[in-house]
Amino acid sequence: MIKVKNLYHSYSRDERYAVKDVSFEIEKGEIFGFLGPSGAGKSTTQGILSGLLRLQKGEVTVAGYNVKKISNKMFNQIGMSFEQSNVYNKLTARENLAFYRKLFDVETRDPDELLELVGLADKAKVKAGEFSKGMKHRLTFARSMINNPSIWFLDEPTTGLDPAIAATIKDIIWDQKKREVTTFLTTHNMFIADELCNRVAFIVDGEVRLIDSPRSLKLQYGSRFVDIEYIGGNGLVKESLSTVDDKDRARIKHIIDNNEIQTMHTKEATLEEIFIKVTGRGLI
Amino acid sequence: MLKKITAVFLRDLKVNTREMISIYILVVPVLFAIFINLLTPGINDTTVRLAMIDGDNPAQVEYLENFANVSLFKNAADVEERVGRRDNFIGILPEGDGYYIFKQGNEPEYLIDFTKLLKTLFETGASLGDSAAEIVEFGRETPPLKKMLVNISILFSSVLGGMMITLNVVEEKADNTISAMNVSPISRTGFILGKSLMGVTMPIYGSLAILLITGYGGVNVAQMLLLILSAAILSMMIGFIEGLNNDDMMTAAGSFKLVFMPLAGAIAAAEALSEKWQWVAWWVPYYWAYKGNDSVLSQSSTWGQILLYTGIILGMCGLVYLILAPRIRAGLEKG
Ligand SMILES: Nc1ncnc2c1ncn2[C@@H]1O[C@H](COP(=O)(O)OP(=O)(O)O)[C@@H](O)[C@H]1O
Ligand SMILES: [Mg+2]
């Protein structure tokens, strides 16, 4: 459904790339996670794929449309939930959706049904200007589903939401997956990625470092992690180290030889730890 | 396409009826019209109201009733009392062999002139057939002050459409919703057309309201709208540019000086400059709209003249369009 080949993007139109030589393909019905710290180039990539940003260099096809010369019709198939919510503050929640649906040529969903879905049913007649940040975010998210998109772009869909609402959003994404919706999801939340994505791409500084399924990543890195707690120079120290990485193995040996070990056990690596291992970077 | 354009327009209209500032702009034409009526009372009805003595010279009364609204009173004192009230009654009272015109002083000059003309016509024994045409034409000649105010108000209300566009573009920018439009199937042209409709409907509504309220409903409205709408294109384009260049309404409204200054200048030139100097205002589209409107309001316009003026206005707007249109599209562009 989505094909990206050697994609580059520079906001300053020079050699300083926000996205550098990115390539990947997304199958129909797949949830593809784009993971990386803030500023990695996730939103930029998504902007180009959704036609919001002009394609500068590389090849991108979305649902068979070449993004270089986008046809407005393409958007009948696309849903886009923005990282920064963008709804009309002077319209009510229902009016926002009722207006937006009129812009489509395909069958659209009932605004009230969508509001119910994201837990805003009782706020249908309230102007979005009176909404909290999280509520606006949910309205933006609901709007992205109004045209029953077959390709769905979600930019940080759960960021800034309280855990209960984030769980609701996660359930909705699951539900859409059952309907064979192809989803491109950016996030820096590893738990969301772990639970939802068929495959994830690790992106840092505009470059994709790895693409694989969370399952396969865990098999590779599996239980080859140890948590060590020991008494160091300044009291208790805790470290997570790989048992396959040469540097980490040397480090484990060094700790055992020179310190008093308090606890030590192997465990399954989290996606976050794998990310740090692979990219050498944290996620914040 | 039409459905989407209408949706954009109706959304704007909905929001505009909820905000104080836009509600105010929406009622401005009506306020202007009411203001004009208050400022020029009695002008609406171009028939003269005469007060005369009952039974005195019935032939004269019968003749004058053909052209004026005649009320009869018992005696001269009653006539004087009636004329003395605030509205525009003019008395015709006997004195010696002839008659004199009795007025209060606040009546517009043209009413007095008209009364004098009627009286003279009767006295010279002009027959109805000879003089009716002349009299009717004179009676319909509308007072210059009122005509000017109506003309100015109509031009002004055509500019208000542009201000509404600015308001609505500033809103889209503040709410960051243009990006949502850009990922919907509405084309950029469709979006711009939808947003432009306010700049078309506002002048239509504004000029109709002003014409009807001030009693000019009988003029050639089609000619008037042709002139007004072609002039409105200019303020629509400026409306977009100001909306895209400004982040809050107040500074955007302030920059509408750009439109109001040539507008006021063109009117001043058309009214105050002698024929020899009129050309200084030729480059302002509003000058032609004002002149065209003036003919329409005087009911002396011809289609040839109106089409010529419209052509001149459209030509000028076309030039501005060539400069501004790419900037408008770029302003709504993707990054
Ligand atoms: N509109 C813009 N103009 C200039 N630079 C930008 C713009 N948007 C993003 N960037 C830069 O591009 C890089 C990638 O940003 P972004 O794609 O938003 O990252 P992410 O979504 O992964 O947090 C960052 O360095 C950011 O500062
Ligand atoms: Mg982002």
Side-chain angles (χ1 to χ4, degrees), chain A residues 50-54 72 75-76 80 82 86-92 95 99-100 102-105 127 143, chain B residues 3-4 7-8 11 14-15 18-19 171-172 175-177 179-187 333-335:
Chain A
S50 62
L52 268 179
L53 290 172
R54 197 189 285 285
N72 292 308
F75 294 107
N76 281 315
M80 171 92 183
F82 293 82
N86 53 355
V87 290
Y88 292 106
N89 282 313
K90 290 170 193 163
L91 294 183
T92 66
E95 286 167 344
F99 163 66
Y100 205 67
K102 291 197 199 121
L103 305 179
F104 290 87
D105 312 300
K127 284 195 191 139
R143 187 182 62 192
Chain B
K3 185 191 84 173
K4 298 175 197 171
V8 171
R11 194 214 68 85
K14 183 180 275 172
V15 170
R18 285 180 186 172
E19 287 285 287
E171 183 209 358
E172 297 268 358
D175 288 348
N176 203 11
T177 37
S179 54
M181 292 300 116
N182 282 339
V183 292
S184 85
I186 190 169
S187 63
E333 258 289 337
K334 36 193 112 175

Side-chain angles (χ1 to χ4, degrees), chain B residues 136-309:
Chain B
V136 167
E137 190 143 300
F138 184 79
R140 205 195 263 162
E141 175 74 33
T142 50
L145 174 67
K146 181 171 189 180
K147 193 173 65 180
M148 190 173 108
L149 290 177
V150 168
N151 197 346
I152 294 174
S153 306
I154 287 176
L155 281 184
F156 188 79
S157 73
S158 89
V159 176
L160 294 180
M163 289 181 89
M164 297 287 265
I165 292 177
T166 302
L167 213 62
N168 294 331
V169 171
V170 168
E171 183 209 358
E172 297 268 358
K173 277 176 44 185
D175 288 348
N176 203 11
T177 37
I178 295 175
S179 54
M181 292 300 116
N182 282 339
V183 292
S184 85
I186 190 169
S187 63
R188 191 147 307 117
T189 310
F191 181 65
I192 293 175
L193 285 178
K195 281 255 171 284
S196 303
L197 272 185
M198 190 58 78
V200 176
T201 47
M202 185 74 200
I204 293 179
Y205 142 76
S207 26
L208 288 183
I210 291 169
L211 287 179
L212 290 177
I213 296 174
T214 55
Y216 277 95
V219 300
N220 192 327
V221 175
Q223 291 182 345
M224 168 88 63
L225 288 182
L226 198 60
L227 289 164
I228 287 299
L229 290 181
S230 32
I233 294 175
L234 190 66
S235 55
M236 279 156 66
M237 289 189 290
I238 294 171
F240 271 106
I241 288 290
E242 293 305 335
L244 290 169
N245 288 348
N246 292 288
D247 286 324
D248 78 293
M249 191 48 212
M250 282 311 154
T251 44
S255 45
F256 255 82
K257 283 198 296 283
L258 231 93
V259 185
F260 286 122
M261 267 159 29
L263 174 68
I267 294 168
E271 285 295 336
L273 292 181
S274 68
E275 208 55 46
K276 212 173 81 194
W277 287 98
Q278 291 283 308
W279 58 266
V280 279
W282 281 1
W283 60 277
V284 190
Y286 295 114
Y287 170 81
W288 301 101
Y290 185 79
K291 273 176 70 93
N293 279 349
D294 189 71
S295 308
V296 173
L297 291 173
S298 312
Q299 306 209 7
S300 64
S301 55
T302 63
W303 273 107
Q305 175 204 14
I306 298 303
L307 290 176
L308 173 69
Y309 288 2

Side-chain angles (χ1 to χ4, degrees), chain A residues 43 83 155-156:
Chain A
S43 296
E83 181 176 9
D155 201 352
E156 310 275 358

Side-chain angles (χ1 to χ4, degrees), chain A residues 51 55 75 90 105 109 116 159 172 178 187 234 264 269:
Chain A
L55 175 62
F75 294 107
K90 290 170 193 163
D105 312 300
R109 290 175 77 168
E116 175 85 53
T159 304
I172 297 172
K178 283 183 226 144
T187 183
N234 305 316
M264 180 165 150

